[in-house]
Amino acid sequence: YSFIEKNQKSDKQSLFTFYRAVLPTFTRLNEFLQRGEPLIHALHDNLLSFLKKLLTKFFSIEDIPEDLCSIYLDDTSIYLPMENVFVG
């Protein structure tokens, strides 16, 4: 969040690049959710896939457990170093 806040004030181009990098992840889920046919049978798997994809932007793949509810977010050792976080 501090990266976004800092760049909102100082570097609009970096913020635009960040949005351009993360928006496709949300767009694919949004398009899935707006389909016309019933989706309840596929919702769970698609939401888990979305969350895992989102988490890989902040955690290494090895630190993402199969059970996403077991992630302890207060453990800062599992976060990627800032220089490895892709921001666009």
Side-chain angles (χ1 to χ4, degrees), residues 28-76:
R28 282 188 281 283
L29 178 66
N30 190 32
E31 288 170 349
F32 169 77
L33 293 172
Q34 291 185 23
R35 290 160 115 183
E37 67 269 10
L39 301 170
I40 194 69
H41 65 283
L43 186 59
H44 183 264
D45 291 340
N46 276 275
L47 285 176
L48 282 179
S49 175
F50 165 75
L51 288 173
K52 286 180 181 179
K53 188 178 292 186
L54 191 62
L55 288 172
T56 61
K57 297 185 182 301
F58 305 100
F59 302 98
S60 68
I61 293 172
E62 300 83 33
D63 291 324
I64 300 173
E66 196 62 34
D67 176 15
L68 296 180
C69 293
S70 68
I71 294 177
Y72 183 62
L73 297 176
D74 289 337
D75 179 6
T76 57

